Amino acid sequence: MKMHVSTSSPVISIKPIVLSAPGRGENLQVRVSAPATGSQVPIIIFSQGFGWSMDSYGPLVDYWAAHGFVVIQPTHLDSRTLNLPPDDPRTPLIWRFRVEDLKRILDQLDLIEASVPGLSGRLDRNRIAAAGHSWGGQTVSMLLGARVLDASGEPGEDMSDSRIKAGVLLSTTGLGGADLSPFAAEHFPFMNPSFSDMRTPTLVVAGDHDQSHLSNRGPDWFTDPYFLSPGRKSLLTLFGAEHMLGGISGYNVAETTDENPERVALLQQLTWSYLREALNLDDSSWLAARKDLEKSANPLGRIESK
C-alpha cells in the first residue's frame, strides 16, 4: 500500500533524564527520542504496557522520531526494570502513579528540553499528543478524559489534562464490571472505566484477534474506547492482530504472538498520519492514508470515524 510519509531523518536519543518525583518513592526516569533537526517539533508522550520500560516500543518510537516528533517515554513503577515487590504499598495505586508520571513530564518539559543537547527552543508546546499500549492506553485515556468508576458506579476524579490535544490508544481495555474476568475483577478494580467524558480527539487501535484473559468478552472489548466516548474519534481495526499488534513493543520480542512486519509498518504510518492531522500539522496525509487502505486489494485493516 502506498503511503504519503515524509522523509526520515537522523534521531537523537537520550536516557535517562531523571525527574524529581516526591511521594513516588523513586525518581521518574524518562527517555527522549527526537529528530536531529527541525523547529517547532510536536511532542508525543508514550506510556508503555505492563512491565515494559522507557527502552521499549522501538518500532513505534523510532519511526515517530525519525518523522518529526519528539517522543518522551517514562519508566512506570510496574516496569520489570524496577522489580517492585507485589506487596509494596504503592502497588494498588500504580494506576494513579502512572497518570501522575505523564503529568510530571508535562510539568517538567523545561528540564527535559534542557537535558537533550540541541533540543533547546525546538519544542512546540501547543502540539502535544499522548499514546499508550495496553495498560499504557488505560493510563493515557485518563488524560483524555476517561474516569474510573468506584464500587457504586460513580465516576472518580477527573484526571484529564488540557495540554494533551490528541491521543492514540493501542489495545486499550474496555468496560469493567460484568465484562471483567473474575481474576481481573479481583486484582484490578481500577479497570472499571467510563469513557463518557473522553472528548479529546483520539485514534483507537484494536486487533480483531485480541482475546484477553482479563475479559469475558471477545476482541470487541478493545473497541469500547471508540464506541463509548463522545467527540471526534477514529477506530483502526487490524485484521488478524493480537495484543501486540504485530510486534510494536520491541524488535523480535518473545511476547509477540502475531509477528507481522507489514502490520507494524501500517501502524507506524497510520498513527503518524493521524497525529499529523489531529495536531493541525497536515490536513492531507490522514485522508490519503485512509483512501489508500480502502483501495488496497488485500487490506490489513479498516478505519471508521465519527
Side-chain angles (χ1 to χ4, degrees):
M1 189 178 84
K2 182 181 179 182
M3 300 293 291
H4 304 260
V5 179
S6 66
T7 304
S8 64
S9 64
V11 171
I12 300 168
S13 185
I14 301 292
K15 68 162 190 177
I17 298 171
V18 180
L19 306 183
S20 176
R24 188 177 184 266
E26 307 263 355
N27 284 329
L28 177 61
Q29 296 190 32
V30 304
R31 175 177 183 160
V32 177
S33 302
T37 59
S39 59
Q40 290 297 104
V41 184
I43 301 164
I44 300 172
I45 298 174
F46 187 87
S47 179
Q48 84 262 356
F50 173 76
W52 299 95
S53 73
M54 62 182 174
D55 295 319
S56 310
Y57 294 90
L60 290 180
V61 172
D62 294 348
Y63 185 91
W64 291 335
H67 292 85
F69 285 91
V70 170
V71 186
I72 306 173
Q73 298 171 267
T75 292
H76 295 304
L77 286 174
D78 58 276
S79 172
R80 288 186 290 266
T81 63
L82 298 179
N83 200 27
L84 208 67
D87 60 353
D88 188 286
R90 292 169 290 178
T91 296
L93 295 174
I94 281 182
W95 70 274
R96 293 186 65 94
F97 281 111
R98 279 174 148 264
V99 179
E100 291 168 4
D101 288 347
L102 303 188
K103 288 178 174 282
R104 189 168 279 114
I105 288 172
L106 293 169
D107 292 341
Q108 299 192 46
L109 276 177
D110 286 346
L111 172 61
I112 293 170
E113 183 177 4
S115 300
V116 179
L119 191 59
S120 181
R122 294 175 54 210
L123 295 183
D124 187 343
R125 308 294 183 92
N126 296 313
R127 288 188 168 97
I128 305 176
H133 174 247
S134 194
W135 197 2
Q138 191 267 351
T139 303
V140 167
S141 75
M142 303 290 289
L143 294 187
L144 305 177
R147 296 164 77 170
V148 173
L149 300 176
D150 63 20
S152 63
E154 292 298 315
E157 179 184 352
D158 177 5
M159 303 178 77
S160 62
D161 198 303
S162 61
R163 291 171 291 185
I164 302 295
K165 306 302 183 187
V168 175
L169 302 181
L170 305 154
S171 304
T172 299
T173 53
L175 292 183
D179 289 346
L180 292 182
S181 67
F183 173 84
E186 178 183 354
H187 292 91
F188 308 120
F190 60 86
M191 290 180 62
N192 195 20
S194 167
F195 300 108
S196 59
D197 294 309
M198 196 178 81
R199 302 182 185 280
T200 308
T202 302
L203 172 64
V204 177
V205 181
D208 69 359
H209 281 50
D210 189 356
Q211 181 61 59
S212 176
H213 72 281
L214 299 175
S215 176
N216 299 316
R217 285 168 53 193
D220 69 300
W221 189 46
F222 294 95
T223 66
D224 284 356
Y226 171 76
F227 287 109
L228 301 179
S229 64
R232 191 158 56 97
K233 302 290 191 299
S234 290
L235 172 65
L236 168 61
T237 302
L238 292 172
F239 302 152
E242 299 177 13
H243 199 61
M244 292 301 177
L245 304 175
I248 62 170
S249 61
Y251 299 103
N252 302 314
V253 297
E255 286 87 347
T256 298
T257 55
D258 64 335
E259 186 172 356
N260 188 315
E262 285 184 307
R263 184 178 298 137
V264 173
L266 177 69
L267 190 55
Q268 290 169 332
Q269 296 157 356
L270 287 175
T271 53
W272 175 84
S273 59
Y274 174 82
L275 289 175
R276 294 271 302 170
E277 191 271 342
L279 295 175
N280 296 313
L281 292 160
D282 176 1
D283 61 2
S284 62
S285 59
W286 173 239
L287 179 61
R290 293 188 59 173
K291 288 183 177 178
D292 286 346
L293 185 62
E294 291 170 2
K295 292 187 295 183
S296 175
N298 295 293
L300 298 175
R302 69 174 180 272
I303 297 171
E304 53 197 286
S305 296
K306 62 178 184 178

